[in-house]
Amino acid sequence: MGSTTGRLTGKSALITGAGSGIGAATAELFAREGAKVVVADVDKSKATLTADRIRDDGGVAEPYAADVSDETQVAGLVEFAVESFGGLDVLQNYASDRSVIAEDVFVADADPSVWLRQLGVDLMGCVLTAKYAVPHMTRAGGGSIANASSLAAWLSLESRPAYATAKAGVIGLSKSLATQYGKQGIRCNVIVPGHIVSPATEKMYSAAQTEVMLDHVLAPRLGRPDDVALAALFLASPESAFINGQVIVVDGGMSAYAPVVPSLRRLAANGR
Ligand code: NAP
């Protein structure tokens, strides 16, 4: 196992979408920091691969297959986490349905089944996991929840309106959870990744489009899953004990500047 500071020693964590990308990096980092991790994904083989990497590294992990849009499966997932590790201290949601991207088009052409699928996984997945995790956390005196949103929640990419809507909903949901259960020791925050190189984004964007993303990052490189995992670790750890209902953006500065800046820079380069 790599060097750690044991920031999650004694904690049990449930991470959805942990078979891939940011969720997998977060599960692995949490385990290195001493957490016992339930690695949940709709695809059991991917969850198992992440859990195997954690175990090979000396950590503690259990893979579990669940579709987070299905209430019965989520109830089973949370029960499994509580029984496996004797409680649940940390819940983080990264599950996202990428299968409907091509059909998530202009609203006038919307297919309601596509919208319901995107909202079902990306938003209702956060609702359902919280529904079953919160009672365990309140009984234990508290817990930390973090849900993945996206810059798309407030900066439209023109395509993917259902995804943008789901991710905007995640922010409202998380602030509601913070408000409703903060007095019972539960914190719920939002993580907003910018463009992070993951198996999903590598499929979604061409090399040329990825270059455009790099142009718009206020950093010399693109984001990596570990960049997000480190923010996730902070939100899961006691170091963020007084941070609740907040939105943490991990985007290398992509959302920091006014949209007119690139045009103004082009004009300045041409002496205009
Ligand atoms: P990813 O690689 O696609 O990982 C998401 C995981 O969720 C996949 O393993 C996926 O499995 C799984 N999943 C899909 N449907 C599910 C369901 N119904 N139940 C449970 N699991 C399900 O995504 P990522 O790029 O790491 O992103 C992680 C999170 O950050 C997502 O919520 C995403 O919206 C958000 N985010 C990412 C970026 C970025 O640039 N990467 C930017 C903004 C926001 P399958 O692959 O088998 O479908």
Side-chain angles (χ1 to χ4, degrees):
M1 194 182 310
S3 69
T4 73
T5 50
R7 287 155 77 187
L8 297 181
T9 298
K11 302 286 184 199
S12 69
L14 164 54
I15 302 178
T16 73
S20 176
I22 297 168
T26 302
E28 290 175 54
L29 178 61
F30 282 17
R32 284 199 298 278
E33 291 292 335
K36 292 170 266 183
V37 184
V38 171
V39 177
D41 202 281
V42 70
D43 183 335
K44 179 71 181 268
S45 62
K46 284 164 65 179
T48 301
L49 282 176
T50 304
D52 285 349
R53 281 198 300 277
I54 290 172
R55 289 167 175 165
D56 289 348
D57 201 28
V60 179
E62 291 290 343
Y64 193 94
D67 177 343
V68 296
S69 69
D70 181 310
E71 181 164 7
T72 307
Q73 292 187 39
V74 170
L77 166 63
V78 172
E79 213 44 57
F80 175 79
V82 171
E83 278 171 16
S84 296
F85 300 137
L88 181 58
D89 304 297
V90 176
L91 165 66
Q92 296 208 350
N93 282 301
Y94 297 98
S96 179
D97 193 319
R98 311 284 194 174
S99 70
V100 290
I101 289 174
E103 300 151 280
D104 186 7
V105 290
F106 280 75
V107 175
D109 304 315
D111 174 347
S113 69
V114 167
W115 275 72
L116 290 174
R117 183 66 195 156
Q118 193 77 73
L119 292 166
V121 175
D122 287 57
L123 177 55
M124 284 307 296
C126 298
V127 175
L128 293 174
T129 50
K131 173 176 174 176
Y132 288 94
V134 160
H136 291 289
M137 289 179 169
T138 51
R139 269 199 298 279
S144 169
I145 301 173
N147 295 316
S149 178
S150 166
L151 286 183
W154 66 88
L155 295 174
S156 174
L157 280 170
E158 192 174 46
S159 61
R160 306 195 67 196
Y163 177 76
T165 305
K167 293 304 190 183
V170 165
I171 297 173
L173 167 71
S174 302
K175 287 177 181 281
S176 298
L177 285 166
T179 307
Q180 292 179 335
Y181 302 106
K183 285 287 185 196
Q184 291 162 78
I186 293 183
R187 299 184 296 112
C188 183
N189 293 292
V190 183
I191 299 178
V192 175
H195 184 84
I196 303 295
V197 177
S198 74
T201 51
E202 282 181 324
K203 262 188 246 154
M204 279 161 57
Y205 296 100
S206 66
Q209 289 171 328
T210 304
E211 278 300 311
V212 171
M213 297 296 179
L214 181 56
D215 275 351
H216 287 269
V217 170
L218 306 181
R221 63 166 176 83
L222 286 167
R224 305 173 186 129
D226 275 347
D227 292 316
V228 183
L230 286 163
L233 172 61
F234 172 66
L235 290 177
S237 78
E239 291 156 23
S240 59
F242 208 56
I243 297 178
N244 200 4
Q246 301 306 306
V247 177
I248 310 272
V249 180
V250 187
D251 71 347
M254 188 179 251
S255 61
Y257 60 89
V260 293
V261 167
S263 307
L264 293 175
R265 278 184 179 165
R266 265 196 305 278
L267 288 178
N270 293 324
R272 293 163 65 199

